[in-house]
Amino acid sequence: MQTLSQQPKGTRAALLECAEQLFLAHGYEGVSIRQITEAAGSNVAAINYHFNGKTSLFREVLATRLDQITRNKLAILKDLDEQQPAANLEQILDAYILSFFEEFSTPESDRLTQIIYREMGPDAVASDLIATRLIVPINQAVQKRILTVCPNLDKTHVSYCVSSITGQIMHFIRAREALSSIRNLDQNQTFTEDTVRHITQFSLRGIGSKHHA
Amino acid sequence: MQTLSQQPKGTRAALLECAEQLFLAHGYEGVSIRQITEAAGSNVAAINYHFNGKTSLFREVLATRLDQITRNKLAILKDLDEQQPAANLEQILDAYILSFFEEFSTPESDRLTQIIYREMGPDAVASDLIATRLIVPINQAVQKRILTVCPNLDKTHVSYCVSSITGQIMHFIRAREALSSIRNLDQNQTFTEDTVRHITQFSLRGIGSKHHA
DNA sequence: TGTACATCAGTGAACGCGCGTTCACTGATGTAC
DNA sequence: TGTACATCAGTGAACGCGCGTTCACTGATGTAC
């Protein structure tokens, strides 16, 4: 059982990989270091040797994933800027919002949204990471992008609107199952399409740009 | 130490009260049955005797609180109906949204939002309660109330809009601290006011009722 | 080129702790005859 | 009115388990002279 996954990539890398998979699947408290080291084919003591404790390992895993998300979002905004420099607000919002539903479409990454909300709380082990590596940089980038296409809007107003959009996205993703019992989502083939269209249009009107009066 | 809080209200009631306070402060996994029984001045075995396990006790506590919230929200909508039968959409949204910020203004109740989001996840011990006792009844009541004042709106559209509003509310409450590093909330005296006004106006435009074209 | 030592990656086993649950028990309060 | 028994609320102590961490150790790989 120890000899599983014998890629010669080193114990540290194997631990990191297994930890990422397990933490993202079951959360910080849902995974024991024994599970991680067993999956990585090493000893329990290895985590303390390489990472100086379970918490540090979790923070390293989470920081990596948060940075991936942030990089992905900034890249999407940049691509829009370069490939569609004349994009209007609707196109920007649509691309931005859709990217979240694509990012969090798998059950594994859906769990990540739960971890993010959990880590916003007062007992969190990594609340600083959520703010500095995710919310702040993305919020600012989107705000900036919106202002370039709607320069007449108030900066603070746009900041609030970005939060409104983020809140909607996260809520629709997190509450998907609970919501399915309200609406006829028996065949939720078009859940993503419908939801993205709704959030885009709702927010477009909500922002109240004069471009779309 | 056992003789603290010797109100003659019975062990069961004392356990329920202490469990509510502790669970709401630290979450399901953040509280041990030893802490609860010690606070209630009884033996560890009392929880299994009265509630048949920690999970059942938590579910009972949570269900009670969720029902309180739901009852409160339905009451607010009903009061509006009776005291301001001619209220327009803006007044309804404003009262409804404000009531959440009042409900979740204390650190203790803020924690409840975290528990709610946590219990929406796949490892939740009470995910059914969130849907059946909170989201579904509130969503339907708000939807109905909005439709009475804007009967020309599409029912499904309104349902989506209610989710958009809920998502915004929850996000602003949950991410308050993270957001304070973006905006100038050094003195967040007016956080609630500003936020409620924003969500109301944003959502009013988002719903797109012709009453406010 | 050989030898002595230091460093490094990783291990095996145990430690101590806190957890939820269980079980045999106690003492008080009904209830039947 | 007394006695025997059943029920009930609650207890004390222990059980077994899984947890994160620690410590002494191993064997391989540098490095200095």
Side-chain angles (χ1 to χ4, degrees):
Chain A
M1 199 140 318
Q2 272 98 317
T3 51
L4 283 175
S5 75
Q6 274 300 47
Q7 312 91 323
K9 70 177 71 161
T11 304
R12 204 193 126 93
L15 284 172
L16 212 45
E17 190 178 301
C18 294
E20 166 151 1
Q21 190 207 312
L22 286 166
F23 277 139
L24 261 39
H26 307 106
Y28 176 68
E29 280 165 335
V31 179
S32 74
I33 62 169
R34 257 158 262 259
Q35 288 175 276
I36 297 170
T37 49
E38 194 175 311
S42 69
N43 190 271
V44 262
I47 283 185
N48 270 280
Y49 177 73
H50 283 292
F51 298 97
N52 197 30
K54 186 191 182 186
T55 302
S56 300
L57 171 58
F58 177 72
R59 284 178 58 86
E60 187 159 335
V61 165
L62 185 62
T64 304
R65 281 295 265 129
L66 295 181
D67 285 347
Q68 275 176 29
I69 296 172
T70 299
R71 240 181 297 119
N72 175 252
K73 294 294 160 264
L74 299 190
I76 280 166
L77 292 171
K78 199 166 169 243
D79 284 359
L80 257 178
D81 221 6
E82 288 169 357
Q83 292 169 19
Q84 302 186 49
N88 62 20
L89 186 54
E90 180 171 359
Q91 290 168 310
I92 292 171
L93 291 184
D94 191 63
Y96 175 70
I97 293 164
L98 177 61
S99 77
F100 275 92
F101 283 84
E102 282 169 347
E103 180 113 47
F104 296 120
S105 61
T106 67
E108 173 214 290
S109 58
D110 173 87
R111 171 63 68 118
L112 184 54
T113 64
Q114 195 190 353
I115 293 173
I116 289 170
Y117 268 104
R118 181 151 170 46
E119 291 302 320
M120 284 180 181
D123 62 340
V125 108
S127 60
D128 55 322
L129 297 178
I130 308 293
T132 60
R133 304 225 183 190
L134 193 74
I135 295 187
V136 172
I138 292 180
N139 232 323
Q140 285 179 342
V142 178
Q143 185 187 344
K144 212 172 140 191
R145 188 66 183 84
I146 291 177
L147 281 170
T148 61
V149 68
C150 305
N152 54 321
L153 289 175
D154 176 67
K155 211 170 157 176
T156 304
H157 170 67
V158 173
S159 174
Y160 272 98
C161 289
V162 172
S163 294
S164 284
I165 294 168
T166 309
Q168 290 177 78
I169 293 169
M170 295 303 252
H171 182 72
F172 273 98
I173 289 175
R174 294 251 11 87
R176 176 174 180 166
E177 254 170 64
L179 291 173
S180 68
S181 56
I182 299 177
R183 292 188 274 277
N184 51 341
L185 296 180
D186 301 318
Q187 76 291 20
N188 44 15
Q189 280 288 60
T190 60
F191 170 80
T192 298
E193 277 179 57
D194 294 349
T195 306
V196 170
R197 192 182 310 120
H198 164 74
I199 298 177
T200 301
Q201 296 302 320
F202 187 92
S203 303
L204 199 55
R205 291 189 297 269
I207 292 171
S209 160
K210 292 291 165 281
H211 288 200
H212 302 83
Chain B
M1 194 104 8
Q2 272 99 312
T3 52
L4 283 175
S5 75
Q6 274 301 48
Q7 312 92 323
K9 69 177 74 161
T11 304
R12 204 193 126 94
L15 284 172
L16 212 45
E17 191 179 301
C18 294
E20 166 151 3
Q21 190 206 313
L22 287 166
F23 278 139
L24 260 39
H26 307 106
Y28 176 69
E29 280 164 335
V31 179
S32 74
I33 61 167
R34 255 157 265 258
Q35 289 176 275
I36 296 170
T37 50
E38 194 174 313
S42 69
N43 189 271
V44 263
I47 284 185
N48 270 279
Y49 177 71
H50 283 292
F51 299 97
N52 196 29
K54 185 189 182 186
T55 301
S56 300
L57 171 58
F58 177 72
R59 284 177 58 87
E60 187 158 337
V61 165
L62 185 62
T64 303
R65 281 297 264 128
L66 295 181
D67 286 347
Q68 275 177 28
I69 297 173
T70 299
R71 239 181 297 118
N72 174 253
K73 295 293 160 264
L74 299 190
I76 280 166
L77 292 172
K78 197 165 170 245
D79 283 358
L80 257 177
D81 221 5
E82 289 169 357
Q83 293 169 19
Q84 303 185 48
N88 63 19
L89 186 55
E90 181 171 358
Q91 290 168 310
I92 292 171
L93 290 184
D94 192 62
Y96 176 71
I97 293 164
L98 176 62
S99 76
F100 276 93
F101 283 85
E102 283 170 347
E103 179 112 47
F104 297 120
S105 61
T106 67
E108 173 214 288
S109 58
D110 173 88
R111 172 63 68 117
L112 184 55
T113 64
Q114 195 190 354
I115 293 174
I116 289 170
Y117 268 106
R118 181 152 170 44
E119 290 302 321
M120 285 180 180
D123 62 342
V125 109
S127 61
D128 55 323
L129 296 178
I130 309 294
T132 60
R133 305 226 182 189
L134 193 75
I135 296 187
V136 172
I138 292 181
N139 231 322
Q140 286 178 341
V142 179
Q143 186 188 343
K144 213 172 141 191
R145 188 66 183 85
I146 292 177
L147 281 171
T148 62
V149 67
C150 305
N152 55 322
L153 288 175
D154 176 68
K155 209 169 158 178
T156 304
H157 170 67
V158 174
S159 173
Y160 272 99
C161 288
V162 172
S163 294
S164 284
I165 294 167
T166 309
Q168 289 177 78
I169 294 168
M170 295 303 252
H171 182 73
F172 273 98
I173 290 174
R174 295 254 7 90
R176 174 173 181 168
E177 254 170 65
L179 291 174
S180 68
S181 57
I182 298 177
R183 293 189 274 276
N184 50 341
L185 297 181
D186 301 318
Q187 76 292 19
N188 43 18
Q189 280 288 59
T190 59
F191 171 80
T192 297
E193 277 179 56
D194 294 348
T195 306
V196 170
R197 193 182 309 119
H198 164 74
I199 299 177
T200 301
Q201 295 302 320
F202 186 92
S203 302
L204 199 56
R205 291 188 297 268
I207 291 171
S209 160
K210 293 289 165 279
H211 287 200
H212 302 82

